[in-house]
Amino acid sequence: GKGSGEKAIVQLAMDPAAVEEFRKLEQEKNRLEGEIKTLYEYLTEDGMPGVSGPLVDDEGFPRGDIDLYAVRQARNKYVCAQTDHIEVMKKIEQAIAAIHASAKVDVPRERPAAKMEEDLPENDSDNVFLQVKLTTPFATIDEVSEASPAAAAGLRVGDQVCRFGAVSMQDTGDLNACFNAIRELVPQSV
């Protein structure tokens, strides 16, 4: 029956275009890092001048023991790859922000107001009221798939999640701790 062992899974919806952009940027970053490493290793081999060493001998003449054109070209590629890497890292930062913005969780800033006794109907003096301690919600349901366990359990869009298993703001701490605890509870689906 309802609530008897069924669990609802809170899944963050991420923008597929933002995730794809992140993956492309990550591939470009890895390519640039490989290129930078290869160029650095070439420039710092035994007998090579390094990334900034002199290309002339002690008398001011061009060194005859190295291919000056190849060294200058490698240095240029090295510096350009470093600049490109910086730009890609900035774009990755923006892509991560876009992914997190698309997967944001609506977290209320204040607790909902509890009903005061004067707000209750006065003619029901025989009713017994239980005082319930309100817990702070840490997520808002923004999607419920039809025929899913969440729908069968009665979850609706806009419902607020105060507890997920043993995870709650009161027991776990802050918002990040809640989501880290949930990641450990729910296996990732990729």
Side-chain angles (χ1 to χ4, degrees):
K2 205 176 200 180
S4 62
E6 292 182 19
K7 292 183 181 178
I9 297 175
V10 177
Q11 187 175 19
L12 299 177
M14 291 188 271
D15 179 13
V19 173
E20 183 60 29
E21 177 67 15
F22 173 78
R23 286 190 177 130
K24 286 179 183 177
L25 289 168
E26 184 179 34
Q27 288 174 347
E28 178 66 7
K29 175 188 82 81
N30 292 338
R31 184 193 69 76
L32 286 168
E33 288 173 350
E35 183 179 346
I36 290 168
K37 181 180 179 199
T38 302
L39 290 167
Y40 182 81
E41 288 172 353
Y42 168 73
L43 291 168
T44 57
E45 288 176 352
D46 287 340
M48 293 296 279
V51 292
S52 63
L55 300 179
V56 293
D57 61 18
D58 292 336
E59 298 174 7
F61 292 102
R63 287 179 53 180
D65 61 332
I66 58 173
D67 183 349
L68 293 176
Y69 178 75
V71 170
R72 289 181 56 137
Q73 188 176 24
R75 283 181 174 180
N76 183 35
K77 286 181 179 179
Y78 179 77
V79 171
C80 289
Q82 285 183 318
T83 302
D84 292 346
H85 186 265
I86 291 168
E87 290 303 312
V88 166
M89 293 304 290
K90 288 177 184 175
K91 289 179 182 176
I92 285 175
E93 185 178 335
Q94 293 168 348
I96 289 172
I99 288 170
H100 286 289
S102 69
K104 67 182 175 183
V105 177
D106 183 20
V107 179
R109 298 287 178 207
E110 297 177 16
R111 292 176 181 235
K115 281 198 166 221
M116 297 298 201
E117 212 169 296
E118 54 266 19
D119 293 340
L120 301 172
E122 292 180 18
N123 58 357
D124 282 337
S125 59
D126 294 337
N127 288 344
V128 175
F129 294 99
L130 298 176
Q131 186 175 7
V132 178
K133 181 179 178 185
L134 297 176
T135 58
T136 304
F138 61 87
T140 300
I141 303 296
D142 63 357
E143 181 180 357
V144 178
S145 301
E146 289 183 40
S148 67
L155 285 178
R156 293 178 303 209
V157 172
D159 284 354
Q160 295 184 334
V161 179
C162 297
R163 178 171 293 281
F164 184 85
V167 179
S168 72
M169 288 286 281
Q170 286 72 20
D171 297 341
T172 310
D174 66 357
L175 189 61
N176 287 331
C178 287
F179 286 115
N180 288 335
I182 288 174
R183 275 191 209 100
E184 292 175 15
L185 287 174
V186 180
Q188 291 203 357
S189 58
V190 175

